[in-house]
Amino acid sequence: MSAATVVVTGLGVASPTGLGTREHWAATREGRSGIGRLTRFAPSGYPAKLAGEITGFTAEEHLPGRLIPQTDRMTRLALAAADWALADAGVRPDELASFDMGVVTASASGGFEFGQNELRKLWSQGSQYVSAYQSFAWFYAVNSGQISIRNGMKGPSGVVVSDQAGGLDAVAQARRQIRKGTRLVVSGGVDASLCPWGWVAQLASGRLSTSEDPARAYLPFDRDARGYVPGEGGAILILEAAEAARERGARSYGEIAGYGATFDPKPGSGRPPGLRKAVELALADAGVRPADVDVVFADAAGDPDLDRVEADALSQVFGPHGVPVSCPKTMTGRLYSGAAPLDLATALLALRDGIVPAAVNVKPSPEYDLDLVVDRPRRLDLRTALVLARGYGGFNSAVVLRAPAAH
């Protein structure tokens, strides 16, 4: 495997903060939250009632009619985001060899809403009413499959399932495939499980906020933190070898410079959590020192115990208040496999514009020793960013991004 530099040349965003990169970045800079009361179903009978919902998305405006009956909402969003990312990168898939293009996405839940609707038909009407598309529309790998089919991409492809950490793991796998010789890989993740079936599954974690005040529901690193707000959406990224991107005159948002992943030890084992080690592995892979990192995009669990683990890891690596920390998830909720790719996209835009987004509504607790960016964005000269993600069950992942040389 070569050590080729791998860069991001295209971004496609579908987020509660906006459809498309421009809308999302404008809302993020301005601190406009997409969190509110659930509207996709009536939440009155559930303890948690808030979510980060995507508004204004009509699938028929973005996709051919034949795809609508065979896809879940998350796949429709992913297909649209992939189209936007390819257009942003200036890539026409029909002009490239099909085996030179791959797709590696992440998924945390699969097509929950599609599955719920088909099971309802099974129970209420009988098996003859269940769609044949149920055989794959619910599946974790369906976004990778549908993106590859739509764009004629026959190169190395797959799906990574490690909850919120999966978005970073998928991008790292895409980088590996490019270093093995694949010309272009579509990567990232989109999740959308805001339906009763998916909601019950999320409630089972015990980590959802039950506050009904959108301004006080999801408060990472705040003394009032009591859980998180779920959301839907994510981002799709186009990854290419830097040399190939230069040859075709493509713009680079930045380099996937380093990656590290660990798994937490069994609770009660006496061994420390694995997040610090994941950070150290990513920094070593990128060949950078802690002092070289200009901003961290935090996992921001919104759970006091998990926030303490993350704050301790950052203080141990960077020192107390040693690096600016951003939590744009406070405007979207936690998007499961879509969260980290959205943070990657946001971090790349931050590197481009020299702006660190602020966490909204959060009053940082001094006990965490973090330089948390709140209230308003902070303008800085940014060259290197670290993005963190953790998945339910103990997954830890970290990615280092480096701004383009011409930045």
Side-chain angles (χ1 to χ4, degrees):
M1 185 187 299
S2 75
T5 298
V6 176
V7 297
V8 178
T9 57
L11 300 174
V13 170
S15 167
T17 43
L19 289 171
T21 304
R22 183 176 298 179
E23 282 189 18
H24 161 70
W25 185 228
T28 302
R29 293 196 315 270
E30 295 164 14
R32 287 187 273 118
S33 175
I35 292 174
R37 186 177 174 87
L38 265 167
T39 63
R40 292 190 59 76
F41 66 93
S44 56
Y46 300 89
K49 300 177 175 61
L50 302 179
E53 289 183 302
I54 291 173
T55 59
F57 180 76
T58 302
E60 289 81 359
E61 295 176 358
H62 303 279
L63 303 171
R66 63 178 177 75
L67 282 175
I68 305 304
Q70 58 180 278
T71 50
D72 181 79
R73 176 173 172 83
M74 66 154 194
T75 303
R76 296 168 191 167
L77 290 166
L79 286 166
D83 286 351
W84 300 334
L86 288 165
D88 186 42
V91 171
R92 293 179 59 90
D94 58 357
E95 295 177 352
L96 299 177
S98 59
F99 287 96
D100 284 345
M101 301 177 289
V103 185
V104 181
T105 66
S107 180
S109 61
F112 255 53
E113 189 172 36
F114 195 102
Q116 173 186 298
N117 291 337
E118 297 310 310
L119 284 175
R120 182 185 291 117
K121 293 176 186 175
L122 173 65
W123 296 331
S124 63
Q125 298 174 271
S127 59
Q128 67 270 33
Y129 292 93
V130 176
S131 169
Y133 297 125
Q134 168 66 1
S135 61
F136 61 79
W138 68 273
F139 190 46
Y140 296 104
V142 67
N143 288 355
S144 290
Q146 290 283 18
I147 291 170
S148 64
I149 293 168
R150 177 165 168 76
N151 295 286
M153 297 174 171
K154 299 180 180 179
S157 299
V159 64
V160 180
V161 183
S162 46
D163 192 50
Q164 185 122 336
L168 297 187
D169 298 336
V171 168
Q173 174 67 2
R175 183 176 73 152
R176 291 188 197 103
Q177 295 300 341
I178 289 173
R179 287 179 165 180
K180 289 180 179 179
T182 302
R183 176 171 175 172
L184 176 150
V185 180
V186 178
S187 192
V190 174
D191 257 321
S193 54
L194 300 184
C195 61
W197 193 21
W199 201 245
V200 170
Q202 294 169 70
L203 284 167
S205 72
R207 295 181 181 174
L208 269 61
S209 172
T210 56
S211 170
E212 297 190 34
D213 179 1
R216 299 302 295 164
Y218 178 29
L219 303 169
F221 308 112
D222 188 305
R223 280 186 175 144
D224 292 336
R226 295 293 183 272
Y228 69 89
V229 173
E232 61 179 354
I236 298 296
L237 291 70
I238 307 302
L239 275 63
E240 300 180 67
E243 184 177 351
R246 280 194 299 269
E247 286 176 358
R248 68 178 190 85
R251 167 213 45 215
S252 166
Y253 283 99
E255 175 193 351
I256 307 296
Y259 166 71
T262 60
F263 197 79
D264 286 336
K266 180 180 179 181
S269 69
R271 291 179 291 160
L275 183 61
R276 175 183 177 180
K277 183 65 174 177
V279 171
E280 292 171 342
L281 290 169
L283 295 179
D285 186 36
V288 302
R289 302 164 301 159
D292 298 325
V293 175
D294 301 308
V295 62
V296 173
F297 283 73
D299 175 69
D303 172 273
D305 292 337
L306 292 171
D307 286 350
R308 164 56 60 198
V309 169
E310 184 166 29
D312 286 350
L314 294 177
S315 294
Q316 290 159 7
V317 174
F318 299 101
H321 301 273
V323 63
V325 177
S326 181
C327 301
K329 291 186 188 72
T330 53
M331 289 173 264
T332 63
R334 289 174 69 83
L335 311 184
Y336 299 100
S337 73
L342 184 61
D343 272 353
L344 287 175
T346 305
L348 290 165
L349 295 167
L351 291 175
R352 183 193 70 184
D353 294 348
I355 296 174
V356 179
V360 299
N361 304 317
V362 174
K363 299 173 183 176
S365 173
E367 67 181 286
Y368 291 119
D369 288 330
L370 293 179
D371 179 14
L372 195 66
V373 179
V374 296
D375 298 329
R376 62 184 61 85
R378 188 181 300 177
R379 287 195 171 273
L380 293 171
D381 182 22
L382 302 176
R383 294 286 308 152
T384 305
L386 173 69
V387 178
L388 304 180
R390 290 176 290 178
Y392 187 81
F395 298 96
N396 303 291
S397 295
V399 163
V400 176
L401 300 172
R402 185 180 288 124
H407 178 69

